[in-house]
Each structure stands twice: as structure tokens, then as C-alpha cells.
Amino acid sequence: MPSSSTASDARQRLRAAGMRVTSTRVAVLDVLGGHPHATADTVARLVAEHLGSVSKQAVYDVLAACTQAGLVRRIEPAGSPALFETRTGDNHHHVVCRVCGRTEDVDCAVGERPCLSPGDNAGFAVDEAEVVFWGLCPNCQDQQHAARTGA
């Protein structure tokens, strides 16, 4: 589990967001700090390992509350379960491996929202564009190359 300084940071972020500080909330933020792009099930498992016992529903509730408060970002790559991260407030995107699902942050080349503008916004006031790049991570590229060459 992350260090006490990380836990202290989580407590400060919860207070700054006007949220009550609980051990489950601190543990969820700590887990996400060390495991960005984790699924809710992964977060629940890691929090339970740290706290000893916590219901999966309690972790789901914390993820929802922290997302609503802007402390956590929920991303939903097509065909994958929702992923959660604590990198919020900036305009970054994601790159996802088509084979293993590895997800990494990619800084936006434009740097401001929205980084893309639709040709026809249908009257909407567009304030954000979500971009997901798809491809193969280095590991999966190596495995495919080895399979092709028999190495």
C-alpha cells in the first residue's frame, strides 16, 4: 500500500473537495494513485487487501462519489470495463492496447478543451472531446513478432 505521505495527500484532497475522510475513501485514492486505469474490481480487491475487509459495494460507492467530486476520472474504452484514475483536471487522452488492454495516458497535443471540434455540433455547447487511441503495446508487439518469426 502507498506510504503515509500518499495517504496524507488523499486526506487533503478529500477535505478540499468537501468530502468526509474515511479509511475506505483514503484507501481507494491511494490504490488509484499507485494503479492508474484500474477497474472497480481491481480497486476493491486491493483496498480489501489493505483494510482487511470492505464490501465491493462500498468501494463502488466511493468511486462514484469521488468521480462526482472530481477527484477521480472514469474512462470507458469500448469493449472494456470502466477504468478509474486520479489524474483529473487536465486535458489528456488514453492509448489502449487492442490485445491485452494496457492503458496509458497521452498528453493532448492541443492542451486545451475541447481539443477537437465537431463539424456540426447540433446546437450543443461542446466543452470536452474524449479521444482514445488504439494499437498494440510494446509487449504485445514483441509477442506478435515472435509468433511470426518463430522466435
Side-chain angles (χ1 to χ4, degrees):
M1 202 64 191
S3 68
S4 60
S5 64
T6 306
S8 175
D9 181 53
R11 288 183 188 93
Q12 289 175 338
R13 288 185 291 148
L14 287 163
R15 286 186 190 106
M19 297 178 72
R20 200 166 48 98
V21 176
T22 67
S23 59
T24 304
R25 287 177 176 172
V26 169
V28 165
L29 292 177
D30 283 349
V31 163
L32 287 174
H35 300 87
H37 312 120
T39 65
D41 287 344
T42 298
V43 173
R45 180 180 51 79
L46 293 171
V47 166
E49 286 175 10
H50 176 68
L51 294 180
S53 73
V54 63
S55 73
K56 195 179 275 192
Q57 186 60 51
V59 171
Y60 283 39
D61 291 346
V62 168
L63 286 168
C66 287
T67 299
Q68 180 71 28
L71 296 174
V72 170
R73 182 177 177 190
R74 177 186 172 122
I75 59 171
E76 299 181 53
S80 301
L83 305 173
F84 297 88
E85 66 181 346
T86 56
R87 184 176 172 185
T88 62
D90 67 350
N91 191 36
H92 76 278
H93 308 297
H94 298 93
V95 61
V96 180
C97 180
R98 290 186 185 281
V99 175
C100 70
R102 176 178 159 188
T103 304
E104 297 291 337
D105 291 335
V106 178
D107 289 329
C108 178
V110 175
E112 60 189 48
R113 292 181 180 191
C115 64
L116 300 173
S117 298
D120 177 3
N121 66 7
F124 283 70
V126 176
D127 61 9
E128 184 176 8
E130 190 169 302
V131 178
V132 177
F133 299 95
W134 294 89
L136 295 179
C137 70
N139 242 9
C140 291
Q141 289 175 59
D142 291 345
Q143 288 177 3
Q144 284 192 353
H145 177 73
R148 281 194 308 270
T149 61

